[in-house]
Amino acid sequence: MKAVAWCAPHLVRVEEAPDPAIINPRDAIVRVTSTCICGSDLHLVDGFIPFMKPGDILGHEPMGIVEEVGPAVDPDKIKVGDRVVVPFPIGCGECFFCQRQMWSCCENTNPKPSLGETMHGHATAGIFGYSHLTGGYAGGQAQYLRTPLADVNLQKMPEDLTDDQLVFLSDILPTGWMAAEQADIQPDDTVAIWGCGPVGQFTLRSAVLMGAHRVIAIDDESSVPERMQMAREGGAETIDMNSEDVPYRLFEMTGGLGPDSCIDAVGMESHGYHFLGSVYDRVKTSLMLETERPHAFRQAVKCCRKGGTLSVPGVYGGFADKIPLGAIMNKGLTIKTGQTHVHKYVPKLLDEIRQGRIDPSFVITHRLPLSEAPHGYEIFRKKQDGCIKVVLDPAA
Amino acid sequence: MSTVVSKLSDKGSINVARTERLISGALGSALLLTALSGRGAKRLTALGVGSALVYRGFTGHCHAYEALGIDTACGATASDLDRVGVEVSECFLVAKPVEDLYRFWRHLGNLPRFMSHLKEVEALDERRSRWTAAAPLVAGGLIQWDAEIVEDIENQRLAWRTLPESSVDHRGSVEFSPAPGERGVYVRVELTYAPPGGQAGRWIAKLFGEAPEQQVRSDLRKFKRLMEAREIPTIEGQSHASCYGLGQLLHS
Ligand SMILES: NC(=O)c1ccc[n+]([C@@H]2O[C@H](COP(=O)([O-])OP(=O)(O)OC[C@H]3O[C@@H](n4cnc5c(N)ncnc54)[C@H](O)[C@@H]3O)[C@@H](O)[C@H]2O)c1
Ligand SMILES: [Zn+2]
Ligand SMILES: [Zn+2]
């Protein structure tokens, strides 16, 4: 089959790889019909998550048709021919965490828990195509995908909706929703969102749907004007991080209070605001003394209202410096974060799509054949050609 | 619980510091991965855990426990086993009914499904059983011993030890105790191995490789996974790309 491979930092190639086979009795093989490139993939390609091996197959946002099932897959749940979305975290459905709908914290699906225990104290769930920290599972930017514990993970989809409407149930639609839900939005609240990438887009629309009084989105007007425009169309006001003083504007818009909830939808590769700030983290990350650049997070802490909530869907992997713990403590902030518990949100969000209240396909700017994935990565990474979200077609 | 929890948190903090140092020194991500997850990691772990265990094995004293104020596992007693053996205790929460867990374990033939160094456990009668373990460094590659169940309290506790004439001095127990509310069952395993003739270091290495504590922890986790997920997750045998041949090299 054709698959998108991580060969080295900044080297993504489309290669021939063996078709996946059933390994465990509850595995299934999915023939992928649509698969996307995510901001999380960029962290791998840029070398910010240092647990990739050359030859790893990327991708964690696929959907497709079940092609083969293992002997122990429950036939009442999943059969050959089913149309399914594949959530990016792999759950077991039975452990302490899955039973409490915290699927991305599953205890039983990461084959190499020692890495996570060393780095984080605990291992979290296996994730497709997302480094050996989360199990090293081959990913879904490929023509076929092996999916473990298929009967609890694969999400059956109706036939009358398109791939474009459904594929984002695998990650970014639930991620945006959970980010807004964790922000604990109350009717009179102002919500500020850092980052207008695909995750930010779904977050801001979710915040609007959840009844926020005012939604403010922050990104770089000069480098991603199309994202700022899309944010405004979604019901947000925007602040340009380049030409405007973000904290000043946020305080001014809220009478000095600051936003009630602040959401970091940027993650570990955020751009700095002034020369010294960005140089500090660039130097430290390149020497591997620090693994992330948490500018957006730092600014969100600074701006957030006293007693407010920080929601962090943006991904961090290791250790960051200069986290304003004093501000977090003295202002009494609540922080909520996590890889998305996708399975928890799929039924509700599928229903929203069905009812026509959400049509997630608006974020798609590029449809490419899988063979052009490296080009897709390039324009998505450099925010060129108006790129917001790339969907790959493995059959083309 | 306290013993196990303290041990885990102790291990955690040491490991993080080591990881940070590793990260600082790493030149590339692929190199780092190899160092942490491949053979290299085992060697590093062996340096720490291995030598500490052998030291403890010979002296019956454990500095880590002393520092933590734990004196349960390390105090010397009259028995040979306690003086020169390896003692490991691990505890996992398993979210399944205690009856299922006990029944699975009581059928000793199931043990090789999650204890990776065991090849076979054959019940000889209600109490006695014959254990065969892989030991790559021993002639023939196998060690065999007979054991008997010395305590069997249904759904609570099972303890076994080797018969006196065995070449191996081993005893073990598994205890099932209820976790609060609907959380399931704490499953605690305690294993003690002592070598014939006091050659702790060499014997232990033969049976486990270099880090028995990690081995037992990984085995008990496999038990939990078999019980909860009904299978043990793996990526062994999955497909990967070539990337100029590097893929084959690093995924083997
Ligand atoms: N929690 C989860 O489960 C989950 C799921 C999917 C993605 N993510 C993470 O969400 C984050 C965003 O993903 P995406 O696909 O939207 O990525 P993206 O790269 O398309 O978007 C990031 C945006 O942030 C902007 N940005 C950079 N620095 C900024 C700053 N200092 N202030 C404001 N904006 C800034 C960039 O211009 C860009 O538009 C990533 O970290 C990704 O890994 C998390
Ligand atoms: Zn994603
Ligand atoms: Zn689970």
Side-chain angles (χ1 to χ4, degrees):
Chain A
M1 65 167 179
K2 276 200 286 250
V4 180
W6 186 100
C7 292
H10 302 292
L11 183 56
V12 169
R13 280 166 53 89
V14 176
E15 296 211 350
E16 268 307 312
D19 286 352
I22 302 274
I23 299 172
N24 265 341
R26 289 173 68 195
D27 287 353
I29 305 296
V30 172
R31 176 169 56 80
V32 179
T33 53
S34 290
T35 185
C36 325
I37 303 178
C38 176
S40 299
D41 295 324
L42 296 182
H43 303 322
L44 306 175
V45 171
D46 292 345
F48 271 71
I49 306 248
F51 298 101
M52 296 295 287
K53 284 190 198 182
D56 283 343
I57 297 172
L58 289 164
H60 60 267
E61 302 187 352
M63 69 176 292
I65 309 290
V66 177
E67 186 91 355
E68 194 186 342
V69 292
V73 172
D74 181 350
D76 293 336
K77 303 230 172 83
I78 287 297
K79 289 189 301 295
V80 170
D82 283 347
R83 186 183 193 212
V84 293
V85 158
V86 186
F88 76 86
I90 305 168
C92 77
E94 300 287 334
C95 71
F96 178 93
F97 298 94
C98 290
Q99 298 236 310
R100 286 162 182 74
Q101 295 284 313
M102 290 185 270
W103 294 79
S104 74
C105 295
C106 177
E107 294 258 86
N108 293 324
T109 54
N110 188 334
K112 290 178 200 158
S114 56
L115 222 50
E117 289 180 343
T118 306
M119 285 282 288
H120 300 156
H122 292 97
T124 46
I127 295 181
F128 292 104
Y130 207 65
S131 95
H132 292 257
L133 192 56
T134 48
Y137 286 97
Q141 286 165 10
Q143 290 180 309
Y144 295 91
L145 174 68
R146 166 190 167 239
T147 59
L149 305 174
D151 40 18
V152 294
N153 284 295
L154 298 182
Q155 307 287 317
K156 268 212 253 199
M157 291 294 126
E159 298 294 335
D160 57 327
L161 296 166
T162 62
D163 273 24
D164 286 357
Q165 288 172 295
L166 297 173
V167 71
F168 301 130
L169 285 168
S170 59
D171 178 348
I172 54 173
L173 176 56
T175 295
W177 188 268
M178 181 166 124
E181 190 180 85
Q182 290 193 331
D184 190 26
I185 297 167
Q186 306 297 315
D188 296 332
D189 279 1
T190 295
V191 180
I193 297 157
W194 276 256
C196 293
V199 170
Q201 299 295 339
F202 285 127
T203 304
L204 70 90
R205 278 164 174 79
S206 302
V208 170
L209 278 174
M210 288 174 197
H213 169 67
R214 202 167 179 185
V215 177
I216 303 166
I218 301 145
D219 207 317
D220 186 338
E221 186 78 57
S222 54
S223 74
V224 289
E226 59 286 342
R227 294 178 178 214
M228 301 292 264
Q229 181 56 32
M230 190 180 266
R232 288 188 284 269
E233 284 160 15
E237 300 161 69
T238 54
I239 300 179
D240 174 17
M241 60 179 275
N242 256 333
S243 67
E244 298 179 80
D245 178 336
V246 176
Y248 174 82
R249 286 282 289 134
L250 286 173
F251 292 143
E252 184 236 42
M253 289 166 93
T254 53
L257 224 55
D260 304 275
S261 314
C262 290
I263 304 179
D264 170 2
V266 181
M268 65 204 305
E269 291 182 69
S270 65
H271 311 140
Y273 301 93
H274 51 84
F275 180 72
L276 260 185
S278 50
V279 165
Y280 176 83
D281 291 288
R282 260 181 203 282
V283 169
K284 286 207 95 171
T285 50
S286 52
L287 291 175
M288 301 195 97
L289 294 168
E290 179 182 43
T291 54
E292 18 257 84
R293 301 197 301 248
H295 302 292
F297 180 82
R298 289 184 192 129
Q299 194 169 65
V301 170
K302 179 174 180 184
C303 296
C304 195
R305 158 167 86 64
K306 287 175 274 186
T309 302
L310 292 171
S311 166
V312 186
V315 161
Y316 293 89
F319 309 92
D321 284 10
K322 306 261 184 291
I323 296 299
L325 203 47
I328 293 171
M329 188 274 156
N330 286 285
K331 297 207 291 181
L333 303 183
T334 299
I335 302 180
K336 291 191 186 168
T337 181
Q339 298 282 357
T340 304
H341 308 304
V342 173
H343 310 57
K344 172 181 176 184
Y345 297 99
V346 167
K348 184 195 164 45
L349 292 172
L350 177 58
D351 192 53
E352 297 280 325
I353 296 169
R354 262 240 151 97
Q355 307 298 325
R357 283 193 291 267
I358 300 178
D359 183 352
S361 59
F362 73 90
V363 285
I364 304 173
T365 51
H366 291 75
R367 287 187 186 74
L368 299 172
L370 187 81
S371 56
E372 286 177 33
H375 173 65
Y377 270 92
E378 192 63 12
I379 57 173
F380 180 53
R381 198 172 87 78
K382 295 191 172 153
K383 320 298 180 207
Q384 288 167 344
D385 196 22
C387 182
I388 299 179
K389 189 75 180 177
V390 181
V391 180
L392 301 169
D393 180 354
Chain B
M1 269 313 282
S2 68
T3 307
V4 172
V5 169
S6 318
K7 277 170 68 184
L8 287 179
S9 57
D10 171 56
K11 249 188 258 169
S13 64
I14 289 167
N15 282 345
V16 168
R18 189 176 65 215
T19 308
E20 282 183 296
R21 283 205 301 275
L22 273 176
I23 287 178
S24 312
L27 290 170
S29 56
L31 278 178
L32 179 62
L33 177 71
T34 317
L36 274 170
S37 73
R39 283 230 177 84
K42 282 188 194 138
R43 239 179 278 127
L44 280 177
T45 313
L47 273 178
V49 182
S51 58
L53 268 169
V54 170
Y55 174 79
R56 184 174 67 175
F58 278 118
T59 63
H61 188 76
C62 171
H63 288 301
Y65 282 4
E66 188 183 69
L68 288 164
I70 298 167
D71 60 359
T72 50
C74 297
T77 74
S79 147
D80 251 8
L81 233 143
D82 289 330
R83 205 150 41 75
V84 295
V86 164
E87 302 181 0
V88 186
S89 163
E90 290 288 347
C91 180
F92 273 88
L93 175 68
V94 184
K96 283 286 159 189
V98 70
E99 296 77 20
D100 297 359
L101 307 184
Y102 168 83
R103 198 181 314 121
F104 190 86
W105 204 295
R106 180 64 183 84
H107 181 64
L108 297 178
N110 281 330
L111 298 188
R113 290 178 63 185
F114 59 92
M115 292 189 174
S116 45
H117 68 283
L118 286 182
K119 281 267 174 263
E120 196 187 353
V121 179
E122 183 194 353
L124 301 173
D125 57 38
E126 254 309 289
R127 302 198 78 79
R128 291 183 313 124
S129 49
R130 176 155 301 158
W131 301 46
T132 310
L137 301 180
V138 159
L142 294 175
I143 302 182
Q144 210 170 54
W145 66 85
D146 288 353
E148 65 172 341
I149 289 179
V150 291
E151 210 183 338
D152 182 0
I153 310 172
E154 197 176 351
N155 299 336
Q156 285 180 34
R157 185 179 154 82
L158 198 61
W160 59 91
R161 70 170 302 155
T162 44
L163 292 173
E165 64 272 19
S166 296
S167 62
V168 167
D169 197 354
H170 159 63
R171 69 179 180 217
S173 66
V174 56
E175 215 163 86
F176 306 96
S177 53
E182 303 288 296
R183 290 185 177 205
V185 180
Y186 293 125
V187 181
R188 163 163 312 135
V189 169
E190 286 177 4
L191 295 182
T192 310
Y193 285 95
Q199 300 187 1
R202 246 189 294 160
W203 189 86
I204 293 155
K206 277 177 185 166
L207 191 54
F208 285 102
E210 289 152 309
E213 288 194 331
Q214 284 206 335
Q215 190 60 63
V216 173
R217 183 167 167 69
S218 138
D219 287 352
L220 187 55
R221 189 197 308 272
K222 282 186 190 156
F223 172 73
K224 169 186 167 72
R225 290 176 162 190
L226 264 180
M227 295 297 95
E228 289 182 347
R230 306 204 305 281
E231 61 184 40
I232 296 166
T234 184
I235 58 165
E236 244 168 79
Q238 75 173 3
S239 52
H240 58 82
S242 154
C243 291
Y244 312 103
L246 280 174
Q248 276 77 345
L249 205 70
L250 292 166
H251 285 260
S252 54

